[in-house]
Each structure stands twice: as C-alpha cells, then as structure tokens.
Amino acid sequence: MRVGFILFHRALITGISLSAEMLTSAASLRDRKTQQQSPFEIKLIASSLASPTLTAGIRIQPDITFEDETNFDIIIVPPMWGNPISSIAKHPQIPAWLIKQYHNGAQIIATGTGVTWLAETGLLNHQTATTHWYFYDKFSQRYPQIKLNRQASITSLMAFIVLKVLTHRQKWCCF
C-alpha cells in the first residue's frame, strides 16, 4: 500500500501529519500476511527535493518529485493556508500529475482548500464537492461546472473509511 502526500507552498502541516498518523495506525491493524504482501509506505511528493515552506515556517523533506514514475494507491492533498489560487499558480504540474495518478488507479483524497487541486484537474466536473467556507464564492466562480455544497463540511465522493481504504479500491474523497 503506497500513500503519497503532496507538498506545496503554504500546505497545512496538520493536513499531512494527522492523516499520516491515522493511516499508519489503520495499516497496522491489517493481518500479518497482508502487511507482508503489501507493505504500508508513505512518500512525500513535491516539485523539487528542496523542502517547501509549509505553514508556521515548518519544513519537511520530500522523498520524490512529480517527475518520478512512482504510482500510488492513495494520494492525499492537504488543505492550504489562505487563497489556494496562489499556490496553484506556483505549481502548474500538480493537476496533470493528479490526473495521471487517477488514471493509474490512485484514490485521491483532498481536504479543505486542497479540493481546489482536484477542481483544477477537471475530474470533479459535474460532481458535488465542498471547500473551506471562506473560499465558497471564489470556488463557485472559478469552477462553475462543480456543484458546490455550501451546507456540508465533509463531502464524500465514493465513501471513505480509513480501515476500508486499506483494503478496497475507491476513487475520491473530499473533506
């Protein structure tokens, strides 16, 4: 089981660390045979191997870049601080990389304003999604082809449960 976390300027570190801890705990509950046949592995992916500055000035070291040919079972896109459009402008390769991973079978999970990366791919077109409440209006204007749910804080496109994701193939989950 290979899980990738996308790193980019102003990504919220808690969107990475909390998810990594929960998935690691869930993976440890798999039976021994499954753990041996499909070892649980987390990789941090960024535009370069230089540590991007995340929130609070914290830096973490990427394992690979978007040019690497690694395929993932799960991709987690953390939320970002502030307006997501500025981060998207700085990393134009991420949407194409997400599309490639999706077509190679990865389940993609985004939280908060991280959902904007999925919106940029076009893969959420004609789907229902949510984002951080402060970005609702800008999101609706930029992505009119996505049905924005302003009533929900969690939107699930194909249900996601941490334990199930380790054994079943699903495609999307947006929080």
Side-chain angles (χ1 to χ4, degrees):
M1 172 69 50
R2 187 172 290 144
V3 177
F5 285 86
I6 295 178
L7 302 180
F8 50 85
H9 179 67
R10 299 176 65 156
L12 292 174
I13 190 89
T14 53
I16 299 164
S17 61
L18 181 60
S19 298
E21 290 175 3
M22 289 174 32
L23 288 168
T24 300
S25 291
S28 72
L29 299 175
R30 299 180 305 160
D31 63 71
R32 187 175 306 238
K33 183 178 178 182
T34 302
Q35 289 184 40
Q36 290 172 348
Q37 291 175 344
S38 180
F40 184 73
E41 175 183 14
I42 291 177
K43 294 285 185 192
L44 304 174
I45 310 120
S47 297
S48 76
L49 293 177
S51 297
T53 301
L54 306 178
T55 55
I58 294 172
R59 294 180 178 270
I60 55 178
Q61 184 64 47
D63 297 304
I64 61 172
T65 68
F66 296 111
E67 287 77 36
D68 190 277
E69 293 297 319
T70 302
N71 290 318
F72 291 89
D73 299 299
I74 301 170
I75 303 291
I76 299 188
V77 185
M80 61 197 95
W81 186 256
N83 186 338
I85 303 308
S86 63
S87 286
I88 287 170
K90 290 180 182 181
H91 305 283
Q93 73 280 27
I94 292 177
W97 184 85
L98 288 170
I99 291 169
K100 180 180 173 186
Q101 289 291 322
Y102 174 79
H103 288 301
N104 286 335
Q107 174 177 341
I108 302 175
I109 302 164
T111 60
T113 51
V115 172
T116 306
W117 290 106
L118 297 182
E120 282 290 311
T121 68
L123 294 170
L124 284 180
N125 289 355
H126 312 292
Q127 302 292 322
T128 301
T130 193
T131 188
H132 189 277
W133 64 267
Y134 190 78
F135 192 58
Y136 283 163
D137 291 337
K138 289 180 182 176
F139 188 93
S140 290
Q141 290 168 1
R142 186 172 175 101
Y143 310 107
Q145 66 282 19
I146 298 171
K147 300 171 198 161
L148 180 65
N149 184 345
R150 295 173 184 249
Q151 307 304 313
S153 58
I154 297 175
T155 299
S156 178
L157 306 173
M158 308 300 276
F160 172 79
I161 299 172
V162 147
L163 292 174
K164 283 192 151 205
V165 80
L166 296 171
T167 57
H168 293 88
R169 301 295 300 181
Q170 298 143 9
K171 290 292 182 186
W172 293 104
C173 187
C174 307
F175 296 96

